[in-house]
Amino acid sequence: MAKFFSNLSIKLKITLTCICIVTVSLLLFTVVIMTRSSYIVTHLAEKNMQQSLNFANSHINTLIDDVNARLLTFQAKESVQRILSASNHPDLDGELDTLEQDLFELDIFQSLIQKSELCILTEQTSFPLPSDTQFIFSDKTLTNDPWYNTVLSCADSVYWQILDSYDANRSYAVASKIIYDVNTKKPMAILKSTIDLNTFTDSLNSIALADTGKIFLCADNHIINQSGSALGNMLTNNKVIVNEMLKSSRTETRTIIMSNEKWLIKSLPLSSKGLYVMGAVKISEFNAAQKSIAAAIIITGLTL
């Protein structure tokens, strides 16, 4: 072999040497790229998922802000302020009807709020004790109620509570706010609005996450829009997700094996509301990108 190489012309020797150098370099480059491509593809998948979760998070927060704004609007209503702050109530039935109408007008079409109720703070106002109204009640029996005491400690902010759900098709939240006398700043009542969280999840279905991926809205003990989703059921039955990811106050990213497949799971908490957006996608979906990288390297080598 050495004799054969020594008999070649200088030009051919240089050509063969260059080919050997390029081939070895290409092989080394291929090994390095293939070693790193798995990391690169997973990193890009995480970045793509983060962008989708940020979009979902922004949308849900917009709906939450809408609910909060409606509660603030109720407090500012002239009829609400006049009735609750009055010292005399000669037409109690008429006033109760007016307050119930104001509650109904918080969301006439129930696009976000399913039901609103008003809890009268009887020791803070002279408003008579309501006894037989459907949506207005007294706080007399609520002194030891955790919801009641938590709302009173929230001052002027809106308190969100995610209700435990035993219905696979429905999950609810309660948004509550103290109603103050705008002049004296004295608390007069608590506005309590019930929100069907399924109205929050409709738009999440339109957010693409590869072919097998999906974004879910979650509470700290269950996945809200899991109904009819095999993936949602798998996530719900995974202890790592329910016991760890949905208990964390920060963004969590995990690689979890479910049904003999590796899944990339990422959860993002919505600021102190007890809600999370979670994305899940098969890692195998991104193997196509890794194969494309390998194919590009091979084609480049053949071209050279």
Side-chain angles (χ1 to χ4, degrees):
M1 185 71 181
K3 185 177 180 181
F4 169 78
F5 187 77
S6 62
N7 290 332
L8 297 176
S9 65
I10 294 176
K11 185 177 180 180
L12 191 53
K13 286 179 180 179
I14 293 173
T15 301
L16 289 175
T17 302
C18 289
I19 291 174
C20 290
I21 292 171
V22 169
T23 301
V24 171
S25 299
L26 184 60
L27 287 172
L28 290 174
F29 179 71
T30 301
V31 170
V32 172
I33 288 298
M34 291 305 294
T35 302
R36 295 288 294 169
S37 62
S38 178
Y39 167 80
I40 293 169
V41 168
T42 303
H43 176 72
L44 290 174
E46 287 185 21
K47 187 174 181 181
N48 176 265
M49 183 181 284
Q50 184 66 51
Q51 290 173 341
S52 297
L53 290 180
N54 286 342
F55 179 79
N57 178 63
S58 176
H59 175 72
I60 298 299
N61 275 321
T62 297
L63 295 176
I64 289 173
D65 290 343
D66 188 354
V67 172
N68 292 346
R70 292 173 191 245
L71 270 59
L72 286 169
T73 300
F74 180 87
Q75 176 176 269
K77 274 182 169 282
E78 183 276 333
S79 54
V80 171
Q81 288 291 318
R82 172 175 48 81
I83 293 172
L84 293 181
S85 63
S87 55
N88 295 308
H89 302 272
D91 183 17
L92 180 59
D93 289 340
E95 290 178 337
L96 290 173
D97 288 342
T98 299
L99 289 175
E100 288 196 342
Q101 180 62 27
D102 289 334
L103 290 171
F104 173 72
E105 290 176 357
L106 272 170
D107 194 343
I108 295 174
F109 299 106
Q110 295 184 330
S111 59
L112 282 174
I113 299 173
Q114 298 298 301
K115 178 180 70 172
S116 289
E117 302 167 280
L118 195 63
C119 173
I120 304 298
L121 303 179
T122 50
E123 293 187 4
Q124 303 291 333
T125 176
S126 59
F127 193 83
L129 178 66
S131 57
D132 57 358
T133 62
Q134 185 176 358
F135 301 108
I136 301 173
F137 58 95
S138 164
D139 68 341
K140 284 292 187 183
T141 61
L142 298 176
T143 52
N144 295 319
D145 188 289
W147 165 81
Y148 173 78
N149 289 296
T150 302
V151 176
L152 291 180
S153 68
C154 288
D156 201 30
S157 59
V158 178
Y159 170 59
W160 281 74
Q161 179 186 21
I162 311 303
L163 303 181
D164 290 334
S165 176
Y166 300 99
D167 182 350
N169 298 314
R170 284 285 179 269
S171 290
Y172 297 92
V174 171
S176 308
K177 185 191 180 308
I178 298 175
I179 302 301
Y180 290 93
D181 184 319
V182 294
N183 295 315
T184 65
K185 308 302 179 184
K186 183 179 180 181
M188 301 183 294
I190 297 174
L191 175 59
K192 179 181 181 182
S193 293
T194 302
I195 297 98
D196 182 351
L197 290 175
N198 287 63
T199 61
F200 280 30
T201 63
D202 291 342
S203 60
L204 297 185
N205 296 326
S206 64
I207 302 176
L209 198 57
D211 293 329
T212 60
K214 185 176 174 63
I215 291 179
F216 296 92
L217 181 65
C218 310
D220 63 2
N221 60 351
H222 66 288
I223 296 174
I224 292 166
N225 54 329
Q226 67 159 329
S227 179
S229 168
L231 175 55
N233 291 331
M234 283 197 299
L235 294 172
T236 301
N237 293 326
N238 189 284
K239 292 181 179 180
V240 172
I241 293 171
V242 175
N243 296 334
E244 296 180 23
M245 297 184 73
L246 296 184
K247 302 294 183 183
S248 177
S249 59
R250 62 186 181 183
T251 299
E252 295 279 350
T253 304
R254 304 287 179 90
T255 300
I256 295 174
I257 296 177
M258 298 187 298
S259 297
N260 299 318
E261 288 268 13
K262 277 188 178 182
W263 290 78
L264 179 65
I265 315 290
K266 197 176 188 74
S267 62
L268 179 65
L270 279 74
S271 56
S272 68
K273 296 293 186 295
L275 290 171
Y276 301 76
V277 284
M278 173 180 286
V281 66
K282 283 182 182 178
I283 292 180
S284 60
E285 280 206 55
F286 302 100
N287 289 343
Q290 193 173 1
K291 291 176 182 178
S292 297
I293 293 173
I297 293 171
I298 294 170
I299 292 171
T300 301
L302 293 174
T303 303
L304 292 173

